[in-house]
Amino acid sequence: MTGFFRPIVAGAEWPARLIACVGAAIGIALTIVACAQVPPSIADLPIIVAPLGASAVLVFAVPASPLAQPWPVVGGNVVSTLVGVSAFHLIPDTTLAAGAAVGAAILAMSLLRCLHPPGGAAALTAVIGSQGIHAAGYAFAVAPVGINSIALVALGVAWHRMTRRSYPHRAPPPAAPTQAGIHLVDIDAALAEMHEGFDISREDLDALLSRAQVHAQARRQ
């Protein structure tokens, strides 16, 4: 049973996870405080939207993920909300509108290179939300969704700088390449062959594999 509780994210040990917990708690709390200073245009609108809780998990717990970077967080949430509002207005049936909103949001985020899982929840919220959300229309994508997202990203940047982590993430340089080493073209070929999407950038894969190769060579000597 011990292995069951091992972290499923590679490299995420307990100190990093505790830092993520504290960062997310502070980040969400301060996002609410900051956004409360902006008076809502409609009384029924929330100060913070639920998808921001999922965004906080990505920003603070897996800051190296391509899905957690500033553009995916802000762009993914805002674009998906716009899609959800459009689906609500164009499709009378709520069930069909909800499904279309999430599916179209994934497509829009993919095309705009801002894929962010909480965006699906943002699109769904625009369809099944309160009367105040529906009355706000497209403005809901700006306030509170856009303002929430920008505030969370800004707090994420500040937190990770304080804790000396890379965010926005920049891939570390790969180890010194060798003639027999793995190159980006090899990674691209392997990814194309596997027909799968992985939550890690090509550059991070390159750095990880090249450094692993150096350690493997050192172990054999």
Side-chain angles (χ1 to χ4, degrees):
M1 284 293 291
T2 321
F4 182 79
F5 294 100
R6 291 179 59 118
I8 58 174
V9 177
E13 300 301 334
W14 272 110
R17 286 198 275 176
L18 291 174
I19 289 172
C21 294
V22 175
I26 294 173
I28 287 293
L30 290 182
T31 297
I32 294 174
V33 171
C35 294
Q37 310 310 309
V38 182
S41 56
I42 296 174
D44 192 29
L45 285 179
I47 294 173
I48 190 170
V49 291
L52 259 286
S55 294
V57 173
L58 289 168
V59 170
F60 292 96
V62 281
S65 167
L67 308 179
Q69 301 314 297
W71 169 237
V73 176
V74 177
N77 284 332
V78 171
V79 167
S80 296
T81 303
L82 293 173
V83 169
V85 173
S86 298
F88 175 76
H89 286 297
L90 295 173
I91 304 173
D93 184 86
T94 303
T95 302
L96 294 177
V102 175
I106 294 172
L107 176 61
M109 289 188 288
S110 299
L111 292 174
L112 294 172
R113 298 175 62 83
C114 58
L115 190 64
H116 185 61
L124 188 59
T125 300
V127 174
I128 65 170
S130 65
Q131 289 299 321
I133 289 174
H134 295 156
Y138 291 104
F140 178 61
V142 177
V145 175
I147 296 173
N148 285 174
S149 302
I150 292 169
L152 187 73
V153 164
L155 290 164
V157 170
W159 178 257
H160 288 305
R161 285 187 180 176
M162 285 174 52
T163 55
R164 300 189 177 185
R165 301 176 79 189
S166 170
Y167 185 81
H169 179 66
R170 292 175 181 81
T178 62
Q179 249 349 80
I182 298 171
H183 299 274
L184 276 175
V185 64
D186 304 314
I187 293 172
D188 288 338
L191 288 171
E193 187 178 65
M194 294 178 72
H195 304 291
E196 295 283 353
F198 297 92
D199 190 11
I200 184 171
S201 69
R202 297 163 62 249
E203 292 76 17
D204 279 332
L205 270 175
D206 185 28
L208 177 64
L209 292 174
S210 65
R211 288 166 188 246
Q213 188 176 45
V214 168
H215 286 290
Q217 288 173 346
R219 179 171 45 79
R220 294 190 194 102
Q221 290 174 355

